[in-house]
Coordinates of all heavy atoms in Angstrom, one line a residue:
M1 N 89.7 99.2 123.8 CA 90.1 99.5 122.4 C 89.0 99.0 121.5 O 88.4 98.0 121.6 CB 91.4 98.7 122.2 CG 91.8 98.8 120.8 SD 93.1 100.0 120.6 CE 93.4 100.0 118.9
A2 N 88.6 99.9 120.6 CA 87.6 99.6 119.6 C 88.1 98.7 118.6 O 89.3 98.6 118.3 CB 87.1 100.9 119.0
R3 N 87.1 98.0 117.9 CA 87.5 97.1 116.8 C 88.1 97.9 115.7 O 87.6 99.0 115.4 CB 86.3 96.3 116.4 CG 85.9 95.3 117.4 CD 84.8 94.4 116.9 NE 84.2 94.7 115.6 CZ 82.9 94.7 115.4 NH1 82.1 94.4 116.4 NH2 82.4 95.0 114.2
K4 N 89.1 97.3 115.0 CA 89.7 98.0 113.9 C 88.7 98.4 112.8 O 88.8 99.4 112.1 CB 90.8 97.2 113.3 CG 91.9 96.9 114.3 CD 92.7 98.2 114.5 CE 93.9 97.8 115.4 NZ 94.5 99.0 115.9
A5 N 87.7 97.5 112.6 CA 86.7 97.7 111.5 C 85.9 98.9 111.8 O 85.6 99.7 110.9 CB 85.8 96.4 111.4
K6 N 85.5 99.1 113.1 CA 84.8 100.3 113.4 C 85.6 101.6 113.2 O 85.0 102.6 112.7 CB 84.3 100.3 114.9 CG 83.4 99.2 115.2 CD 82.0 99.5 114.7 CE 81.0 98.5 115.2 NZ 79.7 98.8 114.7
I7 N 86.8 101.6 113.5 CA 87.7 102.7 113.3 C 87.9 103.0 111.8 O 87.8 104.2 111.4 CB 89.1 102.5 114.0 CG1 88.9 102.4 115.5 CG2 90.0 103.6 113.7 CD1 90.1 101.9 116.3
E8 N 88.1 102.0 111.0 CA 88.2 102.2 109.6 C 86.9 102.7 109.0 O 86.9 103.5 108.0 CB 88.7 100.9 108.9 CG 90.1 100.5 109.3 CD 91.1 101.5 109.0 OE1 91.0 102.1 107.9 OE2 92.0 101.8 109.8
R9 N 85.8 102.2 109.5 CA 84.5 102.7 108.9 C 84.3 104.2 109.2 O 83.9 104.9 108.3 CB 83.4 101.9 109.6 CG 82.0 102.3 109.1 CD 80.9 101.5 109.7 NE 79.6 101.8 109.2 CZ 78.8 102.8 109.6 NH1 79.2 103.6 110.6 NH2 77.7 103.1 109.0
E10 N 84.7 104.6 110.3 CA 84.6 106.0 110.7 C 85.5 106.9 109.7 O 85.1 107.9 109.3 CB 85.0 106.3 112.1 CG 83.9 105.9 113.1 CD 82.6 106.7 113.0 OE1 82.7 107.9 112.7 OE2 81.6 106.0 113.2
K11 N 86.7 106.4 109.4 CA 87.6 107.1 108.5 C 87.0 107.2 107.1 O 87.1 108.2 106.5 CB 89.0 106.3 108.5 CG 89.8 106.5 109.7 CD 91.1 105.8 109.6 CE 91.9 105.8 110.9 NZ 93.1 105.0 110.8
R12 N 86.4 106.0 106.7 CA 85.8 106.0 105.4 C 84.6 107.0 105.3 O 84.4 107.7 104.3 CB 85.3 104.6 105.0 CG 84.7 104.5 103.7 CD 84.3 103.0 103.3 NE 83.6 102.3 104.4 CZ 82.3 102.5 104.7 NH1 81.6 103.3 103.9 NH2 81.8 101.8 105.6
L13 N 83.8 107.1 106.4 CA 82.7 108.0 106.5 C 83.2 109.4 106.4 O 82.6 110.3 105.7 CB 81.9 107.8 107.8 CG 80.8 106.8 107.8 CD1 80.3 106.6 109.2 CD2 79.7 107.3 106.9
Q14 N 84.3 109.8 107.1 CA 84.8 111.1 107.1 C 85.3 111.5 105.7 O 85.1 112.6 105.2 CB 86.0 111.2 108.0 CG 85.5 111.2 109.5 CD 86.7 111.2 110.5 OE1 87.9 111.1 110.1 NE2 86.4 111.4 111.7
E15 N 85.9 110.5 104.9 CA 86.3 110.8 103.6 C 85.1 111.1 102.7 O 85.1 111.9 101.8 CB 87.1 109.6 103.0 CG 88.5 109.5 103.7 CD 89.2 108.2 103.3 OE1 88.6 107.4 102.5 OE2 90.3 108.0 103.9
T16 N 84.1 110.3 102.8 CA 82.8 110.5 102.0 C 82.2 111.8 102.3 O 81.8 112.5 101.3 CB 81.8 109.3 102.3 OG1 82.5 108.1 102.1 CG2 80.6 109.4 101.4
V17 N 82.1 112.2 103.5 CA 81.5 113.5 103.9 C 82.3 114.6 103.3 O 81.8 115.5 102.7 CB 81.4 113.6 105.4 CG1 81.1 115.1 105.8 CG2 80.4 112.7 106.0
A18 N 83.7 114.5 103.4 CA 84.5 115.5 102.8 C 84.4 115.6 101.3 O 84.4 116.7 100.7 CB 86.0 115.3 103.2
K19 N 84.2 114.5 100.6 CA 84.1 114.4 99.2 C 82.9 115.1 98.7 O 82.9 115.8 97.7 CB 84.1 112.9 98.7 CG 83.9 112.7 97.3 CD 83.8 111.2 96.9 CE 83.5 111.0 95.5 NZ 83.3 109.5 95.2
Y20 N 81.7 114.9 99.4 CA 80.5 115.4 98.9 C 80.1 116.8 99.5 O 79.1 117.3 99.2 CB 79.3 114.4 99.2 CG 79.3 113.3 98.3 CD1 79.9 112.0 98.7 CD2 78.7 113.3 97.0 CE1 79.8 110.9 97.8 CE2 78.7 112.3 96.2 CZ 79.3 111.1 96.6 OH 79.2 110.0 95.7
A21 N 80.9 117.3 100.4 CA 80.6 118.6 101.1 C 80.4 119.7 100.2 O 79.3 120.4 100.3 CB 81.7 118.9 102.1
P22 N 81.2 120.0 99.2 CA 80.9 121.1 98.3 C 79.6 121.0 97.5 O 78.9 121.9 97.3 CB 82.1 121.1 97.3 CG 83.2 120.3 97.9 CD 82.5 119.3 98.8
L23 N 79.4 119.7 97.0 CA 78.2 119.5 96.3 C 76.9 119.7 97.1 O 75.9 120.3 96.7 CB 78.2 118.1 95.7 CG 77.0 117.6 94.9 CD1 76.7 118.6 93.7 CD2 77.1 116.2 94.4
R24 N 77.0 119.2 98.4 CA 75.9 119.3 99.3 C 75.6 120.8 99.6 O 74.5 121.2 99.7 CB 76.2 118.6 100.6 CG 76.1 117.1 100.5 CD 76.3 116.5 101.9 NE 75.4 116.9 102.9 CZ 74.2 116.4 103.1 NH1 73.7 115.4 102.3 NH2 73.4 116.9 104.0
R25 N 76.7 121.5 99.8 CA 76.6 123.0 100.1 C 75.9 123.7 98.9 O 75.0 124.5 99.1 CB 77.9 123.6 100.3 CG 77.9 124.9 101.1 CD 79.3 125.4 101.4 NE 80.1 124.4 102.2 CZ 81.2 123.8 101.7 NH1 81.7 124.2 100.5 NH2 81.9 122.9 102.4
K26 N 76.3 123.3 97.7 CA 75.7 123.9 96.5 C 74.2 123.6 96.3 O 73.4 124.5 96.1 CB 76.5 123.5 95.2 CG 76.0 124.0 93.9 CD 76.8 123.5 92.8 CE 76.0 123.5 91.5 NZ 75.9 122.3 90.8
L27 N 73.9 122.3 96.5 CA 72.5 121.9 96.4 C 71.6 122.5 97.4 O 70.5 122.9 97.2 CB 72.4 120.4 96.4 CG 73.0 119.7 95.2 CD1 72.9 118.2 95.4 CD2 72.3 120.0 93.9
K28 N 72.1 122.7 98.7 CA 71.4 123.3 99.7 C 71.1 124.8 99.4 O 70.1 125.3 99.7 CB 72.1 123.2 101.1 CG 71.8 121.8 101.7 CD 72.3 121.8 103.1 CE 71.9 120.6 103.8 NZ 72.1 120.6 105.2
A29 N 72.1 125.5 98.9 CA 72.0 126.9 98.5 C 71.0 127.1 97.4 O 70.2 128.1 97.4 CB 73.3 127.4 98.1
E30 N 70.9 126.1 96.5 CA 69.9 126.2 95.4 C 68.5 125.6 95.8 O 67.6 125.7 95.1 CB 70.4 125.4 94.2 CG 71.6 125.9 93.6 CD 72.2 125.0 92.6 OE1 71.7 123.9 92.4 OE2 73.2 125.4 91.9
H31 N 68.4 125.1 97.0 CA 67.2 124.5 97.6 C 66.7 123.4 96.7 O 65.5 123.2 96.5 CB 66.0 125.6 97.7 CG 66.4 126.7 98.6 ND1 66.6 126.5 100.0 CD2 66.7 128.0 98.4 CE1 66.9 127.7 100.5 NE2 67.0 128.6 99.6
D32 N 67.6 122.6 96.2 CA 67.3 121.5 95.3 C 67.4 120.2 96.2 O 68.3 119.4 96.1 CB 68.3 121.4 94.1 CG 67.9 120.4 93.1 OD1 66.9 119.7 93.3 OD2 68.5 120.3 92.0
Y33 N 66.3 120.0 96.9 CA 66.3 118.8 97.8 C 66.1 117.5 97.1 O 66.4 116.5 97.7 CB 65.2 119.1 98.9 CG 65.6 120.3 99.7 CD1 64.8 121.5 99.6 CD2 66.7 120.3 100.6 CE1 65.1 122.6 100.3 CE2 67.0 121.4 101.3 CZ 66.2 122.6 101.2 OH 66.6 123.7 101.9
K34 N 65.6 117.5 95.9 CA 65.4 116.3 95.2 C 66.8 115.7 94.8 O 67.0 114.5 95.1 CB 64.6 116.6 93.9 CG 64.3 115.4 93.0 CD 63.3 114.5 93.7 CE 62.9 113.4 92.7 NZ 62.1 112.4 93.3
K35 N 67.7 116.5 94.3 CA 69.0 116.0 94.0 C 69.8 115.7 95.3 O 70.6 114.8 95.3 CB 69.8 117.0 93.1 CG 69.3 117.1 91.7 CD 70.1 118.1 90.9 CE 69.6 118.2 89.5 NZ 70.3 119.2 88.7
L36 N 69.5 116.5 96.3 CA 70.2 116.2 97.6 C 69.9 114.9 98.1 O 70.7 114.2 98.7 CB 69.8 117.4 98.6 CG 70.6 117.5 99.8 CD1 72.1 117.8 99.5 CD2 70.0 118.6 100.7
S37 N 68.6 114.5 97.9 CA 68.2 113.2 98.5 C 68.8 112.0 97.7 O 68.7 110.9 98.2 CB 66.7 113.1 98.5 OG 66.2 113.1 97.2
L38 N 69.3 112.3 96.5 CA 69.9 111.2 95.7 C 71.3 110.9 96.0 O 71.9 109.9 95.6 CB 69.8 111.6 94.2 CG 68.3 111.7 93.6 CD1 68.4 112.2 92.2 CD2 67.6 110.4 93.8
L39 N 71.9 111.8 96.8 CA 73.3 111.6 97.3 C 73.3 110.4 98.2 O 72.3 110.0 98.9 CB 73.9 112.8 98.0 CG 74.0 114.1 97.1 CD1 74.5 115.2 97.9 CD2 75.0 113.8 96.0
P40 N 74.5 109.8 98.4 CA 74.6 108.7 99.4 C 74.3 109.1 100.8 O 74.6 110.3 101.2 CB 76.1 108.2 99.3 CG 76.6 108.9 98.1 CD 75.8 110.0 97.7
R41 N 73.7 108.2 101.6 CA 73.4 108.6 103.0 C 74.6 108.9 103.8 O 74.6 109.8 104.6 CB 72.7 107.4 103.6 CG 71.2 107.3 103.2 CD 70.6 106.2 104.1 NE 69.2 106.1 103.8 CZ 68.4 105.3 104.3 NH1 68.8 104.5 105.3 NH2 67.1 105.3 104.0
D42 N 75.7 108.2 103.5 CA 76.9 108.5 104.3 C 77.6 109.8 103.9 O 78.6 110.2 104.5 CB 77.9 107.3 104.0 CG 77.5 106.0 104.7 OD1 76.6 106.1 105.6 OD2 78.1 105.0 104.4
A43 N 77.0 110.5 103.0 CA 77.6 111.8 102.6 C 77.1 112.9 103.6 O 77.7 114.0 103.6 CB 77.2 112.2 101.2
S44 N 76.2 112.6 104.4 CA 75.7 113.6 105.4 C 76.5 113.6 106.6 O 76.9 112.6 107.2 CB 74.2 113.2 105.8 OG 73.8 114.0 106.8
P45 N 77.0 114.8 107.1 CA 77.8 114.9 108.2 C 77.2 114.5 109.5 O 77.8 114.3 110.5 CB 78.2 116.4 108.3 CG 77.3 117.1 107.4 CD 76.7 116.1 106.4
V46 N 75.8 114.4 109.5 CA 75.1 114.0 110.7 C 75.4 112.6 111.1 O 75.4 112.2 112.3 CB 73.6 114.2 110.5 CG1 72.8 113.7 111.7 CG2 73.3 115.7 110.3
R47 N 75.8 111.8 110.1 CA 76.1 110.4 110.4 C 77.5 110.1 111.0 O 77.8 109.0 111.4 CB 75.9 109.6 109.1 CG 74.5 109.6 108.6 CD 74.4 108.9 107.3 NE 74.6 107.5 107.3 CZ 73.7 106.6 107.5 NH1 72.4 107.0 107.6 NH2 73.9 105.3 107.5
L48 N 78.3 111.1 111.1 CA 79.6 111.0 111.7 C 79.5 110.8 113.2 O 78.6 111.4 113.8 CB 80.5 112.2 111.4 CG 81.0 112.3 110.0 CD1 81.8 113.6 109.8 CD2 81.8 111.2 109.6
H49 N 80.4 110.1 113.8 CA 80.4 109.8 115.2 C 81.8 110.1 115.8 O 82.8 109.6 115.2 CB 80.0 108.4 115.5 CG 79.7 108.1 116.9 ND1 79.6 106.8 117.4 CD2 79.4 108.9 117.9 CE1 79.3 106.9 118.7 NE2 79.2 108.2 119.0
S50 N 81.9 110.8 116.8 CA 83.2 111.2 117.4 C 83.7 109.9 118.1 O 83.1 109.2 118.8 CB 83.0 112.3 118.4 OG 82.5 113.4 117.8
R51 N 85.0 109.7 117.9 CA 85.8 108.6 118.5 C 87.1 109.1 119.1 O 87.7 110.1 118.6 CB 86.1 107.5 117.5 CG 84.9 106.7 117.2 CD 85.3 105.5 116.3 NE 84.1 104.7 116.1 CZ 83.8 103.7 116.8 NH1 84.6 103.3 117.8 NH2 82.8 102.9 116.6
D52 N 87.5 108.5 120.2 CA 88.8 108.8 120.8 C 89.9 108.6 119.8 O 89.9 107.6 119.1 CB 89.0 107.8 122.0 CG 90.2 108.2 122.8 OD1 91.1 108.8 122.3 OD2 90.3 107.8 124.0
E53 N 90.8 109.5 119.6 CA 91.9 109.4 118.7 C 92.9 108.4 119.1 O 93.6 107.8 118.2 CB 92.6 110.8 118.5 CG 91.7 111.8 117.8 CD 92.3 113.2 117.7 OE1 93.5 113.3 118.0 OE2 91.6 114.1 117.3
L54 N 93.0 108.1 120.4 CA 94.1 107.2 120.8 C 93.6 105.7 120.7 O 94.4 104.9 120.2 CB 94.4 107.4 122.3 CG 94.9 108.9 122.6 CD1 95.1 109.1 124.0 CD2 96.2 109.1 121.8
D55 N 92.4 105.4 121.1 CA 92.0 104.0 121.0 C 90.7 103.7 120.4 O 90.3 102.6 120.3 CB 92.1 103.3 122.4 CG 91.1 104.0 123.4 OD1 90.3 104.8 123.0 OD2 91.1 103.6 124.6
G56 N 90.0 104.8 119.9 CA 88.8 104.6 119.1 C 87.5 104.4 120.0 O 86.5 104.1 119.4
R57 N 87.6 104.6 121.3 CA 86.4 104.5 122.1 C 85.3 105.5 121.7 O 85.6 106.7 121.6 CB 86.8 104.7 123.6 CG 85.7 104.6 124.5 CD 86.2 104.8 126.0 NE 85.1 105.1 126.9 CZ 84.4 104.1 127.5 NH1 84.8 102.9 127.4 NH2 83.5 104.4 128.3
P58 N 84.1 105.0 121.5 CA 83.0 106.0 121.0 C 82.3 106.7 122.1 O 81.6 107.7 121.9 CB 82.1 105.0 120.3 CG 82.2 103.7 120.9 CD 83.6 103.7 121.4
H59 N 82.3 106.2 123.4 CA 81.5 106.7 124.5 C 82.4 107.6 125.3 O 83.6 107.5 125.4 CB 80.9 105.6 125.3 CG 79.9 104.8 124.6 ND1 78.7 105.3 124.1 CD2 80.0 103.5 124.1 CE1 78.1 104.3 123.5 NE2 78.9 103.2 123.5
A60 N 81.8 108.5 126.1 CA 82.4 109.4 127.0 C 83.5 110.2 126.3 O 84.6 110.4 126.8 CB 83.0 108.7 128.2
Y61 N 83.2 110.8 125.2 CA 84.2 111.6 124.3 C 84.2 113.0 124.8 O 83.1 113.6 124.9 CB 83.7 111.4 122.9 CG 84.6 112.2 121.9 CD1 85.8 111.7 121.5 CD2 84.2 113.4 121.4 CE1 86.6 112.3 120.6 CE2 85.0 114.1 120.5 CZ 86.2 113.6 120.1 OH 87.0 114.2 119.2
L62 N 85.3 113.6 125.0 CA 85.5 115.0 125.3 C 85.9 115.7 124.1 O 87.1 115.6 123.6 CB 86.5 115.2 126.4 CG 86.2 114.4 127.7 CD1 87.4 114.5 128.7 CD2 85.0 114.9 128.4
R63 N 85.1 116.6 123.5 CA 85.4 117.3 122.3 C 86.6 118.2 122.4 O 87.4 118.2 121.5 CB 84.2 118.2 121.9 CG 83.0 117.5 121.3 CD 82.0 118.5 120.9 NE 80.7 117.9 120.6 CZ 79.7 118.6 120.3 NH1 79.7 119.9 120.2 NH2 78.6 117.9 120.0
K64 N 86.7 118.9 123.5 CA 87.8 119.8 123.6 C 89.2 119.2 123.5 O 90.1 119.8 123.0 CB 87.7 120.5 125.0 CG 88.7 121.6 125.2 CD 88.4 122.4 126.5 CE 89.4 123.5 126.7 NZ 89.2 124.2 127.9
F65 N 89.3 117.9 124.0 CA 90.6 117.2 124.0 C 90.7 116.1 122.9 O 91.7 115.6 122.7 CB 90.8 116.7 125.4 CG 90.9 117.7 126.4 CD1 89.8 118.0 127.2 CD2 92.0 118.5 126.6 CE1 89.8 119.0 128.2 CE2 92.1 119.5 127.6 CZ 91.0 119.7 128.4
G66 N 89.5 115.7 122.3 CA 89.6 114.7 121.3 C 89.8 113.3 121.8 O 90.4 112.5 121.1
M67 N 89.5 113.1 123.0 CA 89.7 111.7 123.6 C 88.6 111.4 124.6 O 87.8 112.2 125.0 CB 91.1 111.7 124.2 CG 91.3 112.6 125.4 SD 92.9 112.5 126.1 CE 93.8 113.4 124.9
S68 N 88.6 110.1 125.0 CA 87.6 109.7 125.9 C 88.0 110.1 127.4 O 89.2 110.4 127.6 CB 87.4 108.2 125.9 OG 88.6 107.5 126.3
R69 N 87.1 110.0 128.3 CA 87.4 110.4 129.7 C 88.4 109.5 130.3 O 89.2 110.0 131.1 CB 86.1 110.3 130.5 CG 85.5 108.9 130.6 CD 84.3 108.9 131.5 NE 83.8 107.5 131.5 CZ 84.2 106.6 132.3 NH1 85.2 106.8 133.1 NH2 83.6 105.4 132.2
L70 N 88.5 108.3 129.9 CA 89.5 107.4 130.5 C 90.9 107.8 130.1 O 91.8 107.8 130.9 CB 89.2 105.9 130.0 CG 87.8 105.4 130.3 CD1 87.6 104.0 129.7 CD2 87.6 105.3 131.8
N71 N 91.1 108.0 128.8 CA 92.5 108.4 128.4 C 92.8 109.8 128.9 O 93.9 110.1 129.2 CB 92.6 108.4 126.8 CG 92.7 107.0 126.3 OD1 93.3 106.1 127.0 ND2 92.1 106.7 125.2
F72 N 91.8 110.7 128.9 CA 92.0 112.1 129.4 C 92.5 112.0 130.9 O 93.4 112.6 131.3 CB 90.7 112.9 129.4 CG 90.8 114.2 130.0 CD1 91.5 115.2 129.4 CD2 90.3 114.4 131.3 CE1 91.6 116.5 130.0 CE2 90.4 115.6 131.9 CZ 91.0 116.7 131.3
R73 N 91.8 111.2 131.7 CA 92.2 111.1 133.1 C 93.6 110.5 133.3 O 94.4 111.0 134.1 CB 91.2 110.1 133.8 CG 91.4 110.1 135.3 CD 90.1 109.4 135.9 NE 90.2 109.5 137.3 CZ 90.7 108.6 138.2 NH1 91.3 107.5 137.7 NH2 90.7 108.8 139.5
R74 N 93.9 109.5 132.5 CA 95.2 108.9 132.6 C 96.3 109.9 132.2 O 97.3 110.0 132.9 CB 95.3 107.6 131.7 CG 96.6 106.9 131.7 CD 96.6 105.6 130.9 NE 96.1 105.8 129.5 CZ 96.8 106.2 128.5 NH1 98.0 106.6 128.6 NH2 96.2 106.3 127.3
L75 N 96.1 110.6 131.1 CA 97.1 111.5 130.6 C 97.2 112.8 131.5 O 98.3 113.3 131.7 CB 96.8 112.0 129.2 CG 97.0 110.9 128.1 CD1 96.5 111.4 126.8 CD2 98.4 110.4 128.0
A76 N 96.1 113.2 132.1 CA 96.1 114.3 133.0 C 96.9 114.0 134.3 O 97.6 114.8 134.8 CB 94.7 114.7 133.3
H77 N 96.7 112.8 134.8 CA 97.4 112.3 136.0 C 98.9 112.3 135.7 O 99.8 112.5 136.6 CB 96.9 111.0 136.5 CG 95.7 111.1 137.3 ND1 95.6 111.8 138.5 CD2 94.5 110.6 137.1 CE1 94.4 111.7 139.0 NE2 93.7 111.0 138.2
D78 N 99.3 111.9 134.5 CA 100.7 111.8 134.1 C 101.3 113.2 133.8 O 102.5 113.3 133.6 CB 100.9 110.9 132.9 CG 100.6 109.4 133.2 OD1 100.5 109.1 134.4 OD2 100.4 108.7 132.3
G79 N 100.5 114.2 133.7 CA 100.9 115.6 133.4 C 101.2 115.8 132.0 O 102.1 116.6 131.6
K80 N 100.6 115.0 131.1 CA 100.9 115.1 129.7 C 99.9 116.0 128.9 O 100.1 116.1 127.7 CB 101.0 113.7 129.1 CG 102.1 112.9 129.6 CD 102.2 111.5 129.0 CE 103.4 110.8 129.6 NZ 103.5 109.5 129.1
I81 N 99.0 116.6 129.6 CA 98.0 117.5 128.9 C 98.3 118.9 129.5 O 98.1 119.1 130.6 CB 96.6 117.1 129.1 CG1 96.3 115.7 128.7 CG2 95.6 118.1 128.5 CD1 94.9 115.2 128.9
P82 N 98.8 119.8 128.6 CA 99.2 121.1 129.1 C 98.0 121.9 129.6 O 96.9 121.9 129.0 CB 99.7 121.8 127.9 CG 99.9 120.8 126.8 CD 99.1 119.6 127.2
G83 N 98.2 122.6 130.8 CA 97.1 123.4 131.3 C 96.1 122.6 132.2 O 95.1 123.2 132.7
V84 N 96.2 121.3 132.3 CA 95.3 120.5 133.1 C 96.0 120.0 134.3 O 97.1 119.4 134.2 CB 94.7 119.4 132.2 CG1 93.8 118.5 133.1 CG2 94.0 119.9 131.0
R85 N 95.4 120.2 135.4 CA 95.9 119.6 136.6 C 94.8 119.1 137.5 O 93.7 119.5 137.4 CB 96.8 120.5 137.4 CG 96.2 121.9 137.7 CD 97.1 122.7 138.4 NE 96.5 123.2 139.6 CZ 97.0 124.0 140.5 NH1 98.2 124.4 140.3 NH2 96.3 124.4 141.5
K86 N 95.1 118.2 138.4 CA 94.1 117.5 139.3 C 93.6 118.5 140.3 O 94.4 119.2 140.9 CB 94.8 116.3 140.0 CG 93.8 115.5 140.8 CD 94.5 114.3 141.4 CE 93.5 113.4 142.1 NZ 92.8 114.1 143.1
A87 N 92.3 118.6 140.4 CA 91.7 119.5 141.4 C 91.8 118.8 142.8 O 91.7 117.6 142.9 CB 90.3 119.8 141.1
S88 N 92.0 119.6 143.8 CA 92.0 119.0 145.2 C 91.3 120.0 146.1 O 91.4 121.2 145.9 CB 93.5 118.8 145.6 OG 94.2 120.0 145.6
W89 N 90.6 119.5 147.0 CA 89.9 120.4 147.9 C 89.9 119.8 149.3 O 90.2 118.7 149.6 CB 88.5 120.7 147.5 CG 87.6 119.5 147.2 CD1 86.9 118.8 148.1 CD2 87.5 118.7 146.0 NE1 86.3 117.7 147.5 CE2 86.7 117.7 146.2 CE3 88.1 118.9 144.7 CZ2 86.3 116.7 145.2 CZ3 87.8 118.0 143.7 CH2 86.9 116.9 144.0

């Protein structure tokens, strides 16, 4: 489980990116990189980091399912992810 502060920081970053997205899009379309550079650094979507929705783990993140490999494996074994089943050979 990730620290609560890290999870809250990611939420705050997502809100900042969403807030400045229209302005960033407009400035990029106008090729006004001077004004774009004056925006806060956290307004850039590149600074976002994917985290597991269940426990906030930042590593081994599976985009398709929105969770880490550990939670994916646990839920898949329990049969709680539709369309996923254990492979056997």
Side-chain angles (χ1 to χ4, degrees):
M1 176 98 183
R3 290 188 348 226
K4 297 288 184 194
K6 293 284 188 180
I7 296 170
E8 292 304 316
R9 181 179 184 275
E10 287 294 324
K11 288 179 185 175
R12 184 177 44 81
L13 272 170
Q14 289 175 351
E15 291 170 1
T16 305
V17 167
K19 176 182 173 183
Y20 285 99
L23 179 59
R24 286 182 59 84
R25 199 174 308 115
K26 179 181 156 233
L27 291 175
K28 279 191 173 188
E30 295 171 356
H31 302 289
D32 192 353
Y33 298 109
K34 182 71 173 170
K35 287 184 182 174
L36 192 63
S37 68
L38 297 176
L39 294 178
R41 282 188 178 181
D42 287 345
S44 174
V46 174
R47 294 176 68 93
L48 290 177
H49 192 196
S50 301
R51 286 187 173 269
D52 187 338
E53 293 177 7
L54 301 175
D55 63 5
R57 180 182 165 88
H59 297 291
Y61 178 80
L62 302 173
R63 284 185 192 176
K64 185 174 181 180
F65 299 99
M67 63 182 75
S68 68
R69 65 177 175 84
L70 302 175
N71 285 325
F72 173 78
R73 186 168 190 268
R74 181 175 47 84
L75 293 174
H77 279 298
D78 294 342
K80 295 184 178 176
I81 302 176
V84 175
R85 54 180 231 179
K86 186 177 183 303
S88 60
W89 55 89

